[in-house]
Amino acid sequence: MFDSKPKKEKIQILSITGKVLYEHEEEDNSLKKAVVAANLYGANLYGANLRGANLYGADLYGADLYGADLRGADLRGADLRGANLRGANLRGADLRGANLRGADLRGANLRGADLRGADLRGANLRGADLKNLPEDYINQCSRDMLFIFRALKAELPEFRKKLIAGKINGSQYEGDCACLIGTMAKIDGGLDKVCKTIPFYSKGAQNPGESWFLAIHEGDTPKNNEFSKHALMLVDMVLKEK
């Protein structure tokens, strides 16, 4: 007797070395469904081979894709908030409109990736090449930094010294090496005072300027870190203003 019931199809997600990381079985299956399911059930997709995968609009919130091969993948509109993409190869990936808010992109290869319209607020881009980042993202962060620098111009000369000396750590508000706002606070009167001095400001990595400084750690200077170099350029712009 003819069985018209659709058959379930099993799809495996393999690592770059060929190891099976996750198996997913369902009717009308696809790699996209397998990846979403793997993330839903907390599977570790460390080093997954997802080269050229169609992950359009996929829900990958908080996904662990450390070191994954995502070259040429279609990630348009994907939800990658808080995803671990550290060391991932995203060369040539289509990330238009993707939500990368709070994602860890440290050391990720973004060469040729299309990030137009992507939300990079709070993303850690340490080690990224500025040439590979969207112009609108750089402009947004630059405007926010200029806004902060102009509001706290009196603190800028000392802040400049710390930036050049590699005494900035964008991941913390306190300590010998602190973030943008934390360093300003140490120079003049504490966090509350500094935040009140900046009109309509509330501290946090949701601010593009502070997000930029996530890519600057202790020991990073304008000579060895592009994000620090760009910040110094903006500091000098404000200091030259009358």
Side-chain angles (χ1 to χ4, degrees):
M1 185 174 180
F2 180 72
D3 185 2
S4 61
K5 185 178 179 180
K7 291 184 179 180
K8 290 184 177 181
E9 180 183 0
K10 181 185 291 185
I11 288 181
Q12 295 180 331
I13 299 174
L14 304 177
S15 72
I16 296 168
T17 59
K19 177 184 176 182
V20 177
L21 298 175
Y22 188 78
E23 289 185 343
H24 179 67
E25 187 175 10
E26 69 169 277
E27 297 171 4
D28 193 26
N29 205 359
S30 67
L31 181 58
K32 176 180 175 180
K33 289 181 178 180
V35 173
V36 171
N39 184 51
L40 180 65
Y41 291 105
N44 185 349
L45 296 176
Y46 177 96
N49 185 356
L50 297 169
R51 186 172 183 176
N54 177 10
L55 298 170
Y56 176 86
D59 181 359
L60 296 171
Y61 178 88
D64 186 358
L65 290 160
Y66 186 108
D69 185 352
L70 287 155
R71 284 176 289 175
D74 184 352
L75 286 155
R76 289 174 294 160
D79 184 354
L80 287 157
R81 288 175 294 163
N84 182 2
L85 289 158
R86 188 171 182 175
N89 192 343
L90 288 154
R91 184 167 186 157
D94 192 342
L95 287 149
R96 285 177 290 173
N99 191 340
L100 288 154
R101 193 166 184 170
D104 187 348
L105 286 155
R106 286 175 289 175
N109 184 352
L110 294 167
R111 185 178 297 276
D114 193 339
L115 285 153
R116 286 176 292 174
D119 186 348
L120 289 160
R121 286 175 290 177
N124 191 333
L125 291 156
R126 180 175 166 80
D129 188 334
L130 296 192
K131 295 191 293 292
N132 295 326
L133 298 183
E135 185 178 358
D136 62 341
Y137 171 75
I138 296 174
N139 290 343
Q140 187 180 31
C141 291
S142 299
R143 286 193 297 269
D144 196 52
M145 284 187 279
L146 286 171
F147 179 71
I148 294 169
F149 294 157
R150 286 170 179 144
L152 300 169
K153 191 171 182 178
E155 289 78 17
L156 274 190
E158 184 62 26
F159 179 83
R160 186 179 188 276
K161 291 179 184 178
K162 289 182 176 294
L163 191 61
I164 291 173
K167 295 295 184 181
I168 302 288
N169 185 344
S171 65
Q172 60 187 38
Y173 280 99
E174 299 177 352
D176 292 335
C177 296
C179 63
L180 167 58
I181 298 300
T183 300
M184 292 293 196
K186 286 184 64 179
I187 294 169
D188 185 24
L191 281 173
D192 289 340
K193 180 182 176 183
V194 164
C195 289
K196 288 178 181 177
T197 303
I198 307 169
F200 311 107
Y201 201 82
S202 177
K203 69 181 178 71
Q206 75 278 359
N207 297 301
E210 290 193 60
S211 176
W212 186 269
F213 273 77
L214 287 173
I216 303 174
H217 288 194
E218 183 177 1
D220 291 338
T221 72
K223 290 184 178 181
N224 62 25
N225 182 285
E226 289 190 62
F227 290 81
S228 179
K229 181 179 179 180
H230 187 79
L232 178 62
M233 179 193 71
L234 298 177
V235 166
D236 287 342
M237 281 176 58
V238 174
L239 288 174
K240 290 176 183 177
E241 294 173 354
K242 294 182 179 179

